[in-house]
Amino acid sequence: RRDIAPDGDLMDDVRRFFAPTPSISVATLGADGSPHVATRWFVWLDDGIYVACDRDGRTWRNAEADPRVALAGEAGRAWAELAGFTCAGTATLLPAEDPAMRGPISAWHEKYRGLVQGDGFERMTARIERLGFLRVRPDSVETWDHR
């Protein structure tokens, strides 16, 4: 296990390693203090981790009420290949149409283009009418590696 400061070259290496992974888990707190964990698509850019959410969904509502979140991601399949990270931070909630989301939305579409081919994108937008993103700038990151 290794704790990594949120800036510097080592954080850049961690970001580049985990950026291609398909999804991460995001933990939020409900109004009653109970934890809620959901798997979400994301892009990890220089200025933060952007986690896609339905603005009418529980993850968004929880982060709106209490923006403290934790994220966890993993790469590999067999034990000897596994590596992962966890981090905590404060979420900034950004609707997809926010002007600050132009770059992150482009990166998100590029990353997931192959997963929403054909009618996939239309089906996704019909299901998630109000797309938003939690931008998390990690306070710290912890990594582990079995490789």
Side-chain angles (χ1 to χ4, degrees):
R1 290 192 175 275
R2 186 178 208 179
D3 287 324
I4 299 170
D7 53 1
D9 293 340
L10 191 52
M11 179 59 84
D12 290 341
D13 291 343
V14 171
R15 178 181 53 80
R16 278 191 294 276
F17 183 81
F18 289 105
T21 60
S23 61
I24 59 173
S25 297
V26 56
T28 57
L29 294 172
D32 64 355
S34 62
H36 173 257
V37 179
T39 302
R40 298 282 180 257
W41 285 359
F42 76 104
V43 290
W44 193 339
L45 305 176
D46 290 338
D47 67 334
I49 302 170
Y50 290 81
V51 181
C53 296
D54 181 343
R55 289 171 27 210
D56 295 318
R58 188 170 171 189
T59 300
W60 183 273
R61 286 192 313 270
N62 287 351
E64 209 168 29
D66 185 343
R68 295 174 298 164
V69 300
L71 305 174
E74 193 171 79
R77 295 191 58 95
W79 187 90
E81 301 170 343
L82 290 175
F85 77 92
T86 59
C87 67
T90 302
T92 300
L93 285 73
L94 298 164
E97 59 273 8
D98 188 299
M101 287 303 302
R102 286 192 181 125
I105 286 278
S106 292
W108 186 78
H109 278 287
E110 184 63 30
K111 180 177 180 177
Y112 294 106
R113 180 185 322 262
L115 298 178
V116 289
Q117 290 179 27
D119 69 342
F121 186 75
E122 283 122 24
R123 290 175 53 211
M124 183 187 76
T125 55
R127 185 168 176 261
I128 302 174
E129 295 177 12
R130 294 173 13 102
L131 181 64
F133 288 81
L134 306 181
R135 180 183 62 212
V136 180
R137 292 186 172 131
D139 296 329
S140 65
V141 174
E142 183 178 280
T143 62
W144 51 270
D145 193 342
H146 293 183
R147 294 173 301 131

